[in-house]
Amino acid sequence: MLDILRELIFTSGFVSLTGGNIVMWIISFVLLYLAIKKQYEPLLLLPIAFGILVVNLPLTFLMNPEHGLIWFFYHYGIELDIIPPLIFLGLGAMIDFGPLIANPKMLLLGAGAQAGLYVTFFAAVLFGFDLQEAGSIAIIGGADGPTTIYLTSKLAPHLLGATAVSAYAYMALVPIIQPPIMKLLTTNAERKIVMTKLRPVSKLQKICFPIITAMTIMLIVPPAAPLISMLMLGNLFKESGVVERLTNAASNELMNVVTIFLGLSIGATMTAATFLSPKVLFIFFLGLFAFAVSTAAGLIMAKAMNLFLKDKINPLIGAAGVSAVPMAARCVHKVGSEANRRNYLLMFAMGPNVAGVIGTVVAAAILLKNLG
Amino acid sequence: MPELIAPIAGNVWKILVAVGDKVELDDELVILEALKMETPIYCDDAGTVTEIKVKEGDAVNEEDVLIVIG
């Protein structure tokens, strides 16, 4: 009788529990709280937090290679790079590139904001990260979750949990991180600038855009192909107007399905052994730095453009050049309307915002090409 | 006759006035919802609301007339 009881205790998870596991539980509970109570990116944070929790219950072997349930999700979904491009397919089916087509100069802002990536890359190298790790950390500044996951899984898979969580965390924190930088770098008069109306964009232009963009970018930076091809295919579904079922499947059902596996797998990479290291703190710090520098670079780029433009743009929209669609555009709109309540910058900010997505993918492809 | 125009495309979230209401410059008349964000639309002219062209939940395009003020 006693033997059975002893057997039960020794095969239970309690005996193998480490202090690190318990710290990870606490992190998981905090993330669950933020997801459920504060509704910070709950669609991702909730499965991530639960993934962290279950993988830190000893002896469950959920992440054991070739055996664990979540390992299979992780292996087929993320290691083989299937899920991030599928998310991009859904994003493409939701994004309206109209504001960018109406004002292609916005591409400059989407590109300018990527400067933060390169600054952070060198900063991370100075902090002692190797080149692959530095690239994965720098991409956090692009504020694009799927791209961050895609690049990290190729360059530095051991950092996946940390880079993914910090990318999504900073996206949720856009309304807190960006406004102080925006106010610091612009004058009140600049924030009040009302922009001239965007020209209407024809259906033909909207249909041609994904085709031409896909061809151009893939010819220039072929490693961007997995993400850009799916993004533009999704957009072509949407703009063609003839495959509404595919558009809906890509942006709703498929997107939701892969989000579950993405979140759970990312969470499950965060075992106490991999996550609880001083490196992770540095990643969060450098990620925040990347995000702040990208925001500043976008603003400065917009101010520089104003030196040459007859129709002045409101420099705030430069801050939307980091991707974080549509959080950054909303944030620009809000700060703009605080300065001048008749300033409706939302659609103007969507231009650099969607350009930022393209910019981040291209930046990731360049990093991949040189470091992979 | 002055009109309140939708400055951005979105859905009508709330209409804060009724026909016959007197409105002042800068009053909040309508709240539009775009990209999950509420955007209040302010009155450009003082006067009386004579017609409301939209109802809550309607999708509106940029430049659509929302309210006519007499």
Side-chain angles (χ1 to χ4, degrees):
Chain A
M1 180 67 206
L2 218 63
D3 285 345
I4 298 172
L5 199 63
R6 186 179 299 149
E7 172 83 10
L8 199 66
I9 291 173
F10 280 102
T11 53
S12 77
F14 288 109
V15 187
S16 310
L17 209 56
T18 64
N21 289 140
I22 295 173
V23 175
M24 293 311 291
W25 292 1
I26 294 168
I27 291 174
S28 162
F29 295 148
V30 170
L31 294 180
L32 283 172
Y33 171 81
L34 291 176
I36 298 169
K37 181 81 184 168
K38 299 274 181 186
Q39 302 203 3
Y40 283 167
E41 297 280 315
L43 295 175
L44 278 153
L45 223 44
L46 203 64
I48 288 178
F50 200 76
I52 298 174
L53 183 64
V54 295
V55 83
N56 283 288
L57 299 172
L59 308 181
T60 53
F61 304 120
L62 285 168
M63 272 303 267
N64 258 33
E66 310 289 348
H67 290 103
L69 173 72
I70 303 180
W71 181 84
F72 284 110
F73 297 161
Y74 171 75
H75 178 68
Y76 290 107
I78 296 177
E79 263 185 345
L80 299 181
D81 295 321
I82 291 174
I83 290 179
L86 287 181
I87 295 216
F88 260 55
L89 181 74
L91 277 181
M94 289 194 275
I95 288 181
D96 177 8
F97 283 102
L100 177 61
I101 304 169
N103 195 354
K105 288 193 287 289
M106 296 299 138
L107 266 180
L108 288 175
L109 296 177
Q114 309 308 322
L117 267 70
Y118 297 100
V119 175
T120 308
F121 175 74
F122 291 111
V125 172
L126 284 181
F127 271 100
F129 288 95
D130 68 32
L131 295 179
Q132 283 72 24
E133 291 174 334
S136 306
I137 296 166
I139 201 73
I140 298 171
D144 185 286
T147 310
T148 304
I149 291 164
Y150 182 80
L151 188 69
T152 310
S153 76
K154 294 217 159 204
L155 292 183
H158 56 290
L159 300 183
L160 196 55
T163 59
V165 169
S166 62
Y168 283 113
Y170 295 140
M171 274 157 68
L173 293 176
V174 159
I176 297 166
I177 299 169
Q178 286 200 315
I181 304 169
M182 291 156 86
K183 284 174 186 162
L184 186 71
L185 288 176
T186 55
T187 63
N188 198 28
E190 283 174 328
R191 289 197 290 277
K192 281 187 170 145
I193 295 176
V194 175
M195 292 178 56
T196 43
K197 215 168 97 50
L198 290 171
R199 69 172 176 83
V201 176
S202 71
K203 191 177 168 192
L204 180 67
Q205 288 171 320
K206 284 193 170 183
I207 292 175
C208 292
F209 179 82
I211 301 171
I212 295 171
T213 311
M215 290 175 67
T216 315
I217 293 184
M218 285 192 276
L219 283 171
I220 299 174
V221 267
L227 292 174
I228 280 292
S229 62
M230 289 298 112
L231 183 71
M232 292 303 153
L233 177 63
N235 194 242
L236 186 59
F237 282 168
K238 169 175 180 281
E239 301 302 350
S240 70
V242 292
V243 287
E244 203 177 320
R245 283 166 46 182
L246 302 188
T247 311
N248 288 337
S251 59
N252 297 313
E253 292 86 356
L254 184 60
M255 182 86 145
N256 292 341
V257 169
V258 296
T259 301
I260 296 173
F261 295 115
L262 178 80
L264 195 56
S265 311
I266 295 292
T269 63
M270 294 160 70
T271 55
T274 57
F275 194 75
L276 293 179
S277 78
K279 262 190 172 176
V280 169
L281 276 182
F282 276 116
I283 292 172
F284 277 95
F285 168 73
L286 284 166
L288 180 62
F289 176 73
F291 196 68
V293 177
S294 290
T295 302
L299 291 163
I300 292 166
M301 186 73 184
K303 288 173 78 131
M305 280 167 69
N306 262 350
L307 298 176
F308 303 98
L309 290 175
K310 210 159 68 240
D311 277 332
K312 302 289 179 210
I313 58 174
N314 188 312
L316 288 178
I317 66 169
V322 302
S323 328
V325 179
M327 284 77 97
R330 273 188 220 147
C331 182
V332 168
H333 181 83
K334 197 160 161 289
V335 175
S337 64
E338 278 166 17
N340 171 1
R341 60 162 145 183
R342 283 196 168 68
N343 213 349
Y344 304 97
L345 291 174
L346 189 60
M347 283 305 143
F348 298 104
M350 281 310 283
N353 210 187
V354 295
V357 177
I358 299 175
T360 305
V361 172
V362 171
I366 293 171
L367 287 169
L368 193 58
K369 198 169 159 186
N370 292 306
L371 306 173
Chain B
M1 202 176 282
E3 292 170 330
L4 185 75
I5 308 281
I8 51 173
N11 293 313
V12 178
W13 180 249
K14 274 185 188 133
I15 298 172
L16 305 169
V17 289
V19 172
D21 283 4
K22 286 209 179 325
V23 291
E24 303 282 332
L25 184 72
D26 281 347
D27 277 0
E28 221 174 284
L29 302 190
V30 173
I31 299 177
L32 291 183
E33 182 267 348
L35 292 174
K36 307 235 162 67
M37 187 173 64
E38 293 173 24
T39 299
I41 314 298
Y42 300 97
C43 187
D44 296 314
D45 314 89
T48 309
V49 175
T50 56
E51 192 184 352
I52 296 177
K53 298 238 182 199
V54 290
K55 54 184 191 307
E56 287 177 9
D58 281 2
V60 294
N61 285 317
E62 202 180 327
E63 306 270 289
D64 281 1
V65 176
L66 303 174
I67 288 178
V68 183
I69 295 161

